[in-house]
Amino acid sequence: MTAVTFCAGSDLTQWGFAIDLLDDTRLSVRLAVGSLVADVHGVTFPLDALNSALASFVVNQETPVDFTVTLTCGDAVAPPGVARVVSADVDDSARLVTMSLSEWSATFDLDRRLVSAHLGGAWATALETLLKSAVQVFALDARSALFVHGASVARGGAGYVFMGRTGAGKSTAALLSADHGESTLLREEVSCIGGVRACGPLTVSSLPFREKNRRSATAPVSFPLRGLFWLVQADKDSVETLPLSEQVRLLAAATTIGVRDRMFMLPALELAEEVARRVPVRVLKFRKDVTFWSVVDSGM
Amino acid sequence: MELGQKPRQNPNHAVREIDGMLFIMNPDTSELHQLNEVGARVWQLLDGHRTVAEMAQCIEAEFEVDLETAESDALAFLGEMAAKDLIQV
């Protein structure tokens, strides 16, 4: 068997995670890219059932690894439903986070950058939600990227993120944009603002995690972030500026924080401030049609 | 809340000053609270050793407000903070 190596780049534009499947003798099983089946002491792990986007994000083995996931799999149980957090504990001094969901349980060692996880069954969806949590935990701790509830679009070589309350029109704005003109829908539900620690511009990128509607980009792409908008439906399109404190409040409200603990909320606030200082959050009042782009373009 | 009590900051919350405003995030509720300059100064005084009366005296000295107003405002403000679990009494 040949190896598949998933490595997470520090700017989160390259994706992947080093996975070592362990049995009792801690044998590392490495798997080929493509149609992948790993037989770990009788537990068959159908990795070809993974979201194809995950596979398309695989990088070569020389790419530096930011964190490593070590997995064990239990006996196959009933197919998982919606992943549900059962418990989450944080040890501030040891910098360990322990999470238990209906599909898996894991310990995240923030200093050693290790994730030790047990999947309740050999289910690709469980692995995907584990990896999603791991990325958000480590990115927040490293202050390298901010994950927000919002849709993101690439247009004219630049990225735009649309946030807002439920029903504000985030998906509508993104889908309207993608349907008209040279636009790419990057994400529809959770978007990633990266490059926070890099010297260049902030970025918005695709992610290797599937979304409910499966319309998001499935190849690793990244764009400089040009616009951050808080959507409000209105009769007339307009863009309004806000004081910095308001921008931070909106960004923080939109941030996904997987673990409700001070250890993660503080970096979320720091990141929200850093992002807002570099790309202002503006209120976009729009009529739920694509004409808002003329207002956005004129305001940029 | 009473003038003789010695409230203190809830250490479980994330706090950050941004652009002159103090942001306090409650991890249990994910609520984000925003304090203005006076509120931020009161927050700084919440060390568990000062009484509410002593805090009011600081506010009186620093913000040009009479003591009676400072005390009633402090009691109301801290009562609200306690109700939101931002402070411990």
Side-chain angles (χ1 to χ4, degrees):
Chain A
M1 299 180 215
T2 55
V4 70
T5 303
F6 293 92
C7 308
S10 57
D11 63 359
L12 294 183
T13 54
Q14 268 190 315
W15 287 96
F17 313 91
I19 300 177
D20 294 320
L21 294 174
L22 301 181
D23 61 14
D24 290 338
T25 63
R26 304 186 73 78
L27 180 70
S28 169
V29 178
R30 307 193 132 246
L31 310 157
V33 177
S35 179
L36 310 172
V37 174
D39 196 32
V40 184
H41 282 237
V43 176
T44 302
F45 201 108
L47 282 181
D48 60 354
L50 271 173
N51 174 12
S52 60
L54 256 180
S56 72
F57 279 73
V58 171
V59 296
N60 63 50
Q61 293 184 37
E62 284 70 48
T63 303
V65 175
D66 280 275
F67 64 85
T68 302
V69 177
T70 302
L71 283 176
T72 55
C73 295
D75 293 332
V77 294
V82 175
R84 183 174 53 85
V85 178
V86 175
S87 67
D89 295 301
V90 176
D91 182 335
D92 284 347
S93 54
R95 295 197 7 101
L96 293 173
V97 180
T98 304
M99 286 178 73
S100 181
L101 272 70
S102 46
E103 299 179 314
W104 52 262
S105 59
T107 299
F108 302 84
D109 185 326
L110 298 181
D111 286 340
R112 294 170 64 208
R113 302 206 150 248
L114 295 174
V115 181
S116 301
H118 181 83
L119 303 183
W123 298 106
T125 52
L127 175 62
E128 190 175 330
T129 60
L130 168 67
L131 296 179
K132 197 188 309 186
S133 293
V135 166
Q136 293 189 50
V137 163
F138 285 107
L140 203 50
D141 184 62
R143 280 113 168 122
S144 61
L146 194 67
F147 289 82
V148 296
H149 290 290
S152 47
V153 164
R155 186 171 178 270
Y160 300 84
V161 177
F162 300 104
M163 302 171 287
R165 297 190 196 287
T166 304
K170 302 183 288 293
S171 295
T172 303
L175 292 171
L176 281 171
S177 307
D179 288 343
H180 293 79
E182 302 289 324
S183 298
T184 302
L185 175 63
L186 296 175
R187 301 288 295 174
E188 200 172 334
E189 293 162 22
V190 175
S191 292
C192 173
I193 300 170
V196 182
R197 292 180 65 184
C199 296
L202 294 177
T203 60
V204 61
S205 61
S206 55
L207 296 172
F209 308 118
R210 110 186 80 189
E211 293 187 303
K212 203 165 39 181
N213 295 320
R214 303 187 184 231
R215 290 185 280 237
S216 308
T218 55
V221 288
S222 174
F223 295 86
L225 179 64
R226 191 151 185 250
L228 269 175
F229 297 100
W230 184 269
L231 291 179
V232 175
Q233 287 183 43
D235 296 329
K236 194 178 162 187
D237 297 328
S238 66
V239 172
E240 296 175 8
T241 55
L242 295 168
L244 179 65
S245 56
E246 264 306 287
Q247 296 179 44
V248 172
R249 192 180 65 77
L250 292 177
L251 256 181
T255 297
T256 68
I257 304 174
V259 181
R260 287 186 176 179
D261 187 270
R262 183 175 180 273
M263 196 162 79
F264 292 100
M265 294 197 151
L266 196 53
L269 274 178
E270 292 176 17
L271 278 168
E273 181 187 359
E274 175 69 23
V275 167
R277 286 189 184 279
R278 292 165 67 175
V279 177
V281 179
R282 297 176 226 235
V283 172
L284 173 59
K285 293 184 176 176
F286 87 125
R287 296 182 297 178
K288 272 198 165 179
D289 62 41
V290 78
T291 56
F292 70 88
W293 275 111
S294 60
V295 172
V296 168
D297 290 338
S298 65
M300 287 289 146
Chain B
M1 191 63 55
E2 294 170 6
L3 289 172
Q5 286 181 297
K6 297 180 181 179
R8 59 184 177 279
Q9 300 170 4
N10 185 330
N12 297 320
H13 294 356
V15 180
R16 185 164 178 87
E17 185 183 333
I18 298 170
D19 220 30
M21 308 288 284
L22 197 69
F23 286 78
I24 305 174
M25 192 177 259
N26 184 335
D28 294 327
T29 62
S30 295
E31 281 180 322
L32 186 61
H33 305 274
Q34 205 170 322
L35 304 183
N36 61 15
E37 186 186 358
V38 179
R41 180 58 181 137
V42 171
W43 178 262
Q44 287 176 343
L45 296 171
L46 287 163
D47 56 10
H49 301 297
R50 283 193 184 83
T51 62
V52 176
E54 288 166 339
M55 290 183 215
Q57 288 168 8
C58 290
I59 298 302
E60 178 204 15
E62 295 173 22
F63 291 97
E64 297 181 356
V65 63
D66 64 85
L67 183 60
E68 190 180 342
T69 303
E71 284 179 345
S72 65
D73 286 355
L75 286 168
F77 176 67
L78 292 172
E80 202 181 320
M81 298 267 278
K84 292 179 180 174
D85 197 33
L86 298 179
I87 63 175
Q88 296 171 336
V89 181

